[in-house]
């Protein structure tokens, strides 16, 4: 996995340079007065710009996956972390017909945790849930809850999929 991560980080870096050029030129063209008068051309350039931004998110995800982080605990706002994770999964959720129910408790205190480790945990949970729900029914609902229980913060991720098969349960933390 380490080698795959390094390769992905390298590919992400190489893609980022031309992608930055595409995004820059599209934005510059959108500022041209002659272009703004042509609705069809403006619409096409806006689509290029939007899809470039989408590609940038993908490149960012590849970079994040490839990066090796030394575990480091910092103050983390869990609701913000969960929203960031859901944003990263936004396209896949939409493609897989998965609705998200957010039940995030307001005013949660910050927690001491490693942001990147938690991000990886939540992204894996979201990804596994999506795959299971769409394989079983072609759609589903993912519910994400946070709450403060005494001096602890609880995060719950629930889906309406078929559940974890008995033969997989012993290996869920691998």
């Amino acid at each position: 996995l380490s080698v795959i991560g390094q390769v992905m980080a390298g590919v992400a870096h190489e893609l980022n340079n031309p992608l930055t050029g595409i995004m820059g030129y599209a934005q510059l063209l959108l500022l041209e007065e002659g272009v703004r008068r042509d609705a069809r051309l403006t619409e096409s350039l806006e689509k290029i710009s939007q899809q470039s931004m989408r590609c940038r998110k993908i490149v960012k995800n590849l970079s994040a996956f490839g990066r090796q982080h030394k575990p480091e605990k910092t103050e983390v706002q869990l609701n913000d972390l969960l929203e960031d994770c859901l944003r990263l999964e936004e396209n896949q959720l939409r493609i897989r017909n998965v609705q998200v129910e957010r039940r995030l408790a307001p005013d949660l205190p910050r927690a001491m945790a490693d942001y990147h480790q938690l991000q990886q945990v939540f992204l894996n949970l979201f990804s596994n849930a999506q795959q299971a729900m769409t394989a079983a029914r072609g759609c589903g609902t993912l519910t994400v809850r946070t709450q403060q229980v005494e001096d602890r913060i609880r995060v719950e991720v629930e889906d309406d999929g078929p559940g974890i098969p008995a033969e997989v349960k012993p290996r869920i933390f691998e």
Side-chain angles (χ1 to χ4, degrees), residues 70-132:
K70 194 176 197 179
E72 179 184 1
K73 286 186 178 182
T74 59
E75 284 192 354
V76 175
Q77 195 347 294
L78 286 171
N79 286 347
D80 292 344
L81 169 61
L82 289 163
E83 287 292 353
D84 290 346
C85 291
L86 289 168
R87 268 191 294 280
L88 289 172
E89 289 291 311
E90 187 174 43
N91 288 330
Q92 285 302 311
L93 290 162
R94 188 178 66 254
I95 290 167
R96 291 183 168 156
N97 297 314
V98 174
Q99 301 299 313
V100 177
E101 287 187 16
R102 292 166 172 83
R103 297 183 184 166
L104 307 178
D107 303 322
L108 280 182
R110 292 181 168 276
M112 289 301 291
D114 184 287
Y115 180 93
H116 299 288
Q117 287 179 339
L118 284 179
Q119 181 184 48
Q120 193 63 49
V121 167
F122 294 131
L123 288 173
N124 285 337
L125 283 172
F126 297 163
S127 179
N128 291 344
Q130 290 174 66
Q131 290 170 9

Side-chain angles (χ1 to χ4, degrees), residues 136-147:
R137 293 194 339 265
C139 64
T141 301
L142 178 70
T143 304
V144 181
R145 284 184 207 89
T146 58
Q147 61 181 313

Side-chain angles (χ1 to χ4, degrees), residues 26-58:
Q27 291 299 314
L28 286 173
L29 286 169
L30 283 167
L31 296 174
E32 294 288 326
E33 190 173 317
V35 170
R36 287 190 306 222
R37 281 189 241 134
D38 185 335
R40 208 170 111 213
L41 182 57
T42 298
E43 183 180 342
S44 294
L45 284 167
E46 285 174 349
K47 284 180 183 176
I48 290 170
S49 186
Q50 289 167 355
Q51 293 305 311
S52 297
M53 291 299 286
R54 185 170 167 232
C55 288
R56 171 154 278 169
K57 283 183 181 179
I58 293 167

